[in-house]
Amino acid sequence: MSEKKTTEGSGPEGSPVQPIPDKVIDSPQTRTVDDPDAATEAHTANVAMAREIDRDDLEPVVIAERRGMFGARSQDTTGYGGVVQPVLFPGASPRPYGSFFDEVADRLEGALDSGGEAAFAAAVERVVVDRGELTIFVRREHLPVVARAMRDVPELRFEMCLGVSGVHFPEEQGRELHAVYHLLSITHGSRRVRLEVTAPDGDAHIPSIVSVYPGVDWHERETWDMFGIVFDGHPALTRILMPDDWPGHPQRKDYPLGGIPVEYKGGVVPPPDQRRAYS
């Protein structure tokens, strides 16, 4: 005779078996990431604060145009020289974002709107959720205020800035230079968020946030050294990798790939258009 298993009765050694609460009656505090419906309700602190997004903002952002198989600008030996592909970045993301992203956006919006220094609508260009990561695009003049809110608001508490990444998009008119700040919250279980700021090539200035995150001192110096982004207010913005008298910024995409003498050996690398091509 087989026994019928139920959630009632006694467990091992006569201890009562407690039924597992269903996710419908589960509270936001006890929900886990395994609950697919938890993102909408549990991680959204104030859905009413979500802003309407224009349809144009949802469209992918065209950053550049790539020609050929690998985007080569000189002799293309792949046979795909006629291929033209746009380089696309995701547009603004609609609500709900999922995970803890809604809570972060709502808390940041509440902190900025109540702080009086900069409103959320003025400071934040757009919020992008792509490949499971949250990126907040911040207007450069409001970066220190946003960084301070991300660090100091108890519900956010991103205590660490892990680094500053520079990016150069020569074809993106008026937004050629990007600086990306990677934030980490230890208080809230290793949450990670990115702040991204842009600047035009002709006015490559972004406010320094060394006063908020002292650890980015060297990171901002490296980004200046490699990309030429000037971090206003930095205590000592000098080169950190290249010699002080080095001309240009080596990781910019318009930096020459060849024809530069190799130090100590006297060798010269020919420019790309003078190198050997295979037919």
Side-chain angles (χ1 to χ4, degrees):
M1 181 176 178
S2 62
E3 296 182 358
K4 183 178 180 181
K5 296 182 179 179
T6 65
T7 58
E8 299 179 355
S10 299
E13 301 181 359
S15 60
V17 177
Q18 299 295 330
I20 300 175
D22 187 76
K23 65 183 179 182
V24 176
I25 62 174
D26 202 2
S27 67
Q29 290 74 24
T30 59
R31 286 182 175 175
T32 66
V33 294
D34 297 328
D35 185 352
D37 298 327
T40 302
E41 183 177 344
H43 295 298
T44 303
N46 188 357
V47 180
M49 298 176 68
R51 295 179 296 153
E52 294 294 332
I53 303 177
D54 295 335
R55 184 176 297 273
D56 293 340
D57 294 334
L58 297 173
E59 296 296 325
V61 180
V62 180
I63 300 297
E65 185 179 78
R66 177 178 297 167
R67 296 180 177 272
M69 178 63 76
F70 303 107
R73 297 182 182 180
S74 58
Q75 302 178 24
D76 190 341
T77 60
T78 64
Y80 292 91
V83 176
V84 179
Q85 295 177 322
V87 179
L88 301 177
F89 272 11
S93 301
R95 291 292 192 104
Y97 303 137
S99 185
F100 61 86
F101 302 155
D102 292 276
E103 181 182 351
V104 168
D106 289 337
R107 297 298 188 184
L108 178 60
E109 183 170 359
L112 294 179
D113 290 345
S114 62
E117 294 186 70
F120 184 85
V124 176
E125 292 182 0
R126 65 180 183 272
V127 178
V128 176
V129 177
D130 184 58
R131 295 173 174 86
E133 297 178 332
L134 174 65
T135 303
I136 302 175
F137 283 79
V138 181
R139 293 181 176 88
R140 57 177 174 170
E141 61 270 20
H142 300 299
L143 175 62
V145 176
V146 174
R148 193 175 301 111
M150 296 293 286
R151 183 196 66 180
D152 294 344
V153 173
E155 294 83 5
L156 296 173
R157 197 65 76 189
F158 285 87
E159 305 99 331
M160 297 183 64
C161 181
L162 302 179
V164 185
S165 300
V167 192
H168 183 214
F169 295 104
E171 298 87 352
E172 191 178 8
Q173 297 295 325
R175 300 166 58 93
E176 291 88 355
L177 296 169
H178 293 226
V180 186
Y181 299 81
H182 308 268
L183 306 185
L184 171 67
S185 173
I186 300 175
T187 299
H188 298 288
S190 298
R191 290 178 173 181
R192 295 175 184 265
V193 171
R194 286 199 301 258
L195 303 181
E196 187 159 346
V197 187
T198 65
D201 194 2
D203 184 23
H205 289 263
I206 291 176
S208 172
I209 61 170
V210 170
S211 60
V212 181
Y213 294 105
V216 302
D217 186 334
W218 287 12
H219 296 283
E220 288 185 349
R221 285 180 58 192
E222 183 178 355
T223 305
W224 142 251
D225 195 357
M226 295 290 103
F227 293 92
I229 299 177
V230 180
F231 293 93
D232 297 327
H234 191 282
L237 193 62
T238 58
R239 290 192 182 272
I240 193 173
L241 297 177
M242 307 301 292
D244 291 339
D245 58 349
W246 190 268
H249 304 280
Q251 287 191 348
R252 291 173 61 109
K253 293 182 181 178
D254 56 2
Y255 192 79
L257 297 178
I260 300 174
V262 179
E263 194 172 3
Y264 305 123
K265 295 184 181 180
V268 175
V269 179
D273 57 351
Q274 298 178 14
R275 298 175 190 172
R276 179 180 179 183
Y278 296 90
S279 59

